[in-house]
Amino acid sequence: MLLGIISDVHANIIALEAVLAKLEEHQVDQIICLGDLVGYGPFPNEVVELIRRKRILCTLGGADERVAFPFINADHRRGVADKIIEWTKTVISERSLEFLRTLPVQARLKIPSGRLRYFHSNMNSPSESLKIEDNMAQQMKILEEHRCQILALGKTHVPMVRELPTGFIINPGSVGLSLNGEPGADYSIVDARADKISVHMGKVEYDFSGVAFEVIAWDLPEVVAEAVQLGRMPNATPKGLENIKIQKFGRT
């Protein structure tokens, strides 16, 4: 079974189209999206429609929750993300909202070697983060607690993979707003067989300038346009570069 895993599309339809084309080249059997279809980018309806049309398995992200269920997170913050969330609420269609409201917080998938569990950031809430320490014993405990051989989660926008004696913890990074210091649409491919699991972490280029132009055209914060083209927030130190030096991980 060949699985494509993506996350944090953030209303960037150009990046989504590019990464889906790449996954189709690899002839994956199933694509899984870990949520945050909306937020930051200027194309929320287009992204939701493409995810729906491609029948991609998807969980609810924190930004999705704030748009589809505003009464759950009713606090009024004033950050960049919050400004775009408020804008998204003014342009998102009822059809898109209905789709977001159907998304589960977490889901499981049977794979030849056992079970894959996936969610945006926490199996109980897309707005809470699962803390993963740089400690093998703690990471193995996470897999045990979630009763899976592969755990996939997003939210950080930084690609990460941890190979453990009992399985893998994977964060594919972000399709629409990668923050590991290199612009592009992040993805991961999992080759899950009964006797072997291997993970490939990849990034595909797309029209960054085109997305940046649309961000500015819709009068969204310029910092997002800069971040899309830089692969990081302006003036921020790139994070997670150590996680993409080796592109392929495997275990037999």
Side-chain angles (χ1 to χ4, degrees), residues 165-179:
T166 55
F168 286 83
I169 299 177
I170 302 168
N171 185 325
S174 172
V175 170
L177 191 64
S178 183
L179 297 180

Side-chain angles (χ1 to χ4, degrees), residues 183-202:
D186 301 322
Y187 66 92
S188 64
I189 295 177
V190 177
D191 189 352
R193 307 178 189 180
D195 61 340
K196 179 181 180 180
I197 298 173
S198 61
V199 180
H200 169 77
M201 307 292 284

Side-chain angles (χ1 to χ4, degrees), residues 18-251:
V19 81
L20 292 184
K22 177 61 67 173
L23 293 176
E24 288 176 5
E25 285 181 18
H26 285 280
Q27 298 182 325
V28 298
D29 299 303
Q30 179 67 61
I31 300 175
I32 295 170
C33 180
L34 309 178
D36 267 5
L37 303 184
V38 303
Y40 288 114
F43 305 105
N45 292 308
E46 293 86 344
V47 163
V48 171
E49 185 57 34
L50 185 54
I51 292 289
R52 182 210 298 268
R53 181 157 46 85
K54 293 288 188 179
R55 299 182 182 275
I56 293 172
L57 299 177
C58 191
T59 55
L60 185 72
D64 305 327
E65 181 184 57
R66 292 182 61 194
V67 171
F69 305 101
F71 52 86
I72 295 178
N73 290 290
D75 56 316
H76 297 286
R77 292 173 285 179
R78 292 291 181 269
V80 171
D82 309 285
K83 178 179 179 179
I84 300 176
I85 288 292
E86 294 307 309
W87 173 83
T88 301
K89 291 176 183 177
T90 69
V91 299
I92 196 163
S93 69
E94 188 59 36
R95 177 179 169 87
S96 295
L97 284 174
E98 289 175 0
F99 180 78
L100 294 178
R101 289 167 183 156
T102 68
L103 298 179
V105 172
Q106 62 92 23
R108 293 175 292 183
L109 184 67
K110 182 68 176 176
I111 58 176
S113 59
R115 180 184 295 166
L116 180 149
R117 174 164 280 182
Y118 59 101
F119 45 76
H120 182 63
S121 58
N122 187 292
M123 67 178 293
N124 299 311
S125 169
S127 298
E128 298 176 10
S129 297
L130 177 65
K131 185 177 182 181
I132 300 177
E133 301 173 1
D134 191 16
N135 178 289
M136 181 179 289
Q138 188 257 1
Q139 293 166 8
M140 290 177 64
K141 184 178 180 182
I142 287 175
L143 284 183
E144 181 181 359
E145 290 175 345
H146 289 81
R147 300 179 181 179
C148 60
Q149 285 66 51
I150 302 175
L151 179 64
L153 71 165
K155 189 178 175 63
T156 67
H157 294 215
V158 177
M160 179 274 292
V161 59
R162 295 287 184 265
E163 181 180 2
L164 305 165
T166 55
F168 286 83
I169 299 177
I170 302 168
N171 185 325
S174 172
V175 170
L177 191 64
S178 183
L179 297 180
N180 71 338
E182 180 184 1
D186 301 322
Y187 66 92
S188 64
I189 295 177
V190 177
D191 189 352
R193 307 178 189 180
D195 61 340
K196 179 181 180 180
I197 298 173
S198 61
V199 180
H200 169 77
M201 307 292 284
K203 186 185 289 280
V204 61
E205 292 187 359
Y206 63 91
D207 184 4
F208 319 125
S209 298
V211 175
F213 176 84
E214 293 292 340
V215 169
I216 300 302
W218 283 102
D219 197 28
L220 300 176
E222 292 185 15
V223 65
V224 175
E226 294 181 58
V228 164
Q229 298 176 93
L230 292 172
R232 59 176 172 81
M233 298 304 287
N235 303 318
T237 301
K239 297 180 180 179
L241 293 178
E242 71 280 1
N243 295 318
I244 61 169
K245 290 178 182 176
I246 300 175
Q247 292 294 311
K248 193 167 185 178
F249 300 76
R251 178 172 61 84

